[in-house]
Amino acid sequence: MSVELRLPTLLRPAVNGSATVTIEGETVGEVLRTLVAEHPGLSGQVLTDDGSLHRFVNVYLNDDDVRYLDQLDTKLAPGDTISILPAVAGGAN
Amino acid sequence: MSSTTKLLLETSQLNEMIAHCLHALPFEGCGLLVGDPISATVTRIVPTDNVEKSAKIYSVDPLAHLKADRAAEAEGLAVIGVFHSHTHTDPYPSPTDIAQAPDPTWHYVLVSLRSEVASTRSYQIVDGVVIEEPIEIHDVSN
């Protein structure tokens, strides 16, 4: 099935400036791997070299952080939206 | 990077950030800046939880970030930056802040609570280079 994937401003130049793209996939991981394959400029920014989720991004399926679901194995349903946002962190340490 | 080199805030927004950071003590406080990315004008402050519950590091509550991002985009605005406090150090980005700065177009506001009077500064962080920018107060109604 195809799902809508929303991208943060920082990653949009790699997809011709689009805020959203539509991608086929049955799981979150399948969609993200296809995203990176179709847009190589995103390589290393969403998934690590070993294929896991990069720690500097948060990925949501609708309103849920996929790290609290089945991570990249989270299954998709028709009408789902995946959102990628940068993890916002830092501190005096 | 945005086309401006200053951050436009209202006094109430500045006070809201400081109040949130004081309320978060003894931990670092944090939140997001929503506004116009071109003019670097802040429309509203979105205080969030520091999910790290730490005096030395912070992470903006991811779900609050998602909601703020969606709401901003629906209004034709954007999340244009983040603020956080340093409870015992100066208002200058730490190596952690610099290494984890998520977006070179964002504005990074630091609120230092080390002195009795809070000190606030704003920066842009581009490829690891820290550039301080002035905070301009533009109170509409005053």
Side-chain angles (χ1 to χ4, degrees), chain B residues 28 31-32 76 84 94 97 122 129 141:
Chain B
E28 290 192 0
L32 298 165
H84 78 279
S94 69
D97 293 329
S122 184
V129 177
S141 57

Side-chain angles (χ1 to χ4, degrees), chain B residues 9-12 137-142:
Chain B
L9 278 174
E10 296 179 20
T11 301
S12 61
I137 300 297
H138 72 121
D139 290 330
V140 176
S141 57
N142 292 338

Side-chain angles (χ1 to χ4, degrees), chain A residues 8-89:
Chain A
T9 312
L10 185 62
L11 300 184
R12 291 175 190 173
V15 294
N16 302 317
S18 298
T20 62
V21 292
T22 301
I23 293 188
E24 295 276 335
E26 300 299 319
T27 65
V28 170
E30 204 176 316
V31 166
L32 295 182
R33 286 189 289 274
T34 301
L35 171 74
V36 174
E38 291 182 355
H39 305 283
L42 295 174
S43 179
Q45 299 196 65
V46 179
L47 299 171
T48 63
D49 289 345
D50 67 5
S52 57
L53 197 56
H54 202 297
R55 71 185 179 95
F56 289 142
V57 296
N58 292 317
V59 175
Y60 307 85
L61 175 59
N62 304 319
D63 287 342
D64 295 313
D65 188 331
V66 301
R67 288 191 173 93
Y68 300 104
L69 300 173
D70 289 330
Q71 305 200 46
L72 294 179
D73 294 329
T74 303
K75 294 196 184 311
L76 301 173
D80 278 345
T81 298
I82 297 173
S83 304
I84 302 174
L85 285 176
V88 184

Side-chain angles (χ1 to χ4, degrees), chain B residues 5-24:
Chain B
T5 55
K6 63 186 175 189
L7 182 67
L8 276 70
L9 278 174
E10 296 179 20
T11 301
S12 61
Q13 295 166 340
L14 186 61
N15 290 339
E16 188 178 358
M17 285 191 285
I18 294 169
H20 179 66
C21 292
L22 287 169
H23 184 71

Side-chain angles (χ1 to χ4, degrees), chain B residues 88-100:
Chain B
H88 293 90
T89 58
D90 289 331
Y92 189 84
S94 69
T96 306
D97 293 329
I98 297 167
Q100 298 192 22

Side-chain angles (χ1 to χ4, degrees), chain B:
Chain B
M1 191 185 304
S2 71
S3 59
T4 186
T5 55
K6 63 186 175 189
L7 182 67
L8 276 70
L9 278 174
E10 296 179 20
T11 301
S12 61
Q13 295 166 340
L14 186 61
N15 290 339
E16 188 178 358
M17 285 191 285
I18 294 169
H20 179 66
C21 292
L22 287 169
H23 184 71
L25 285 171
F27 305 137
E28 290 192 0
C30 59
L32 298 165
L33 312 178
V34 170
D36 175 20
I38 303 301
S39 65
T41 302
V42 175
T43 303
R44 64 173 172 271
I45 301 297
V46 181
T48 71
D49 282 344
N50 171 8
V51 296
E52 303 294 346
K53 304 284 186 224
S54 165
K56 293 185 175 179
I57 57 173
Y58 79 94
S59 291
V60 167
D61 176 9
L63 186 55
H65 184 190
L66 178 68
K67 289 179 176 175
D69 186 76
R70 283 183 183 167
E73 195 153 308
E75 297 171 65
L77 301 171
V79 174
I80 64 170
V82 58
F83 72 93
H84 78 279
S85 60
H86 284 179
T87 60
H88 293 90
T89 58
D90 289 331
Y92 189 84
S94 69
T96 306
D97 293 329
I98 297 167
Q100 298 192 22
D103 192 322
T105 68
W106 275 19
H107 305 269
Y108 296 86
V109 173
L110 270 292
V111 179
S112 172
L113 302 177
R114 76 179 300 179
S115 302
E116 197 167 319
V117 177
S119 175
T120 306
R121 300 281 187 275
S122 184
Y123 304 88
Q124 292 203 292
I125 301 174
V126 182
D127 294 331
V129 177
V130 177
I131 307 151
E132 183 168 3
E133 60 183 1
I135 294 174
E136 184 174 301
I137 300 297
H138 72 121
D139 290 330
V140 176
S141 57
N142 292 338

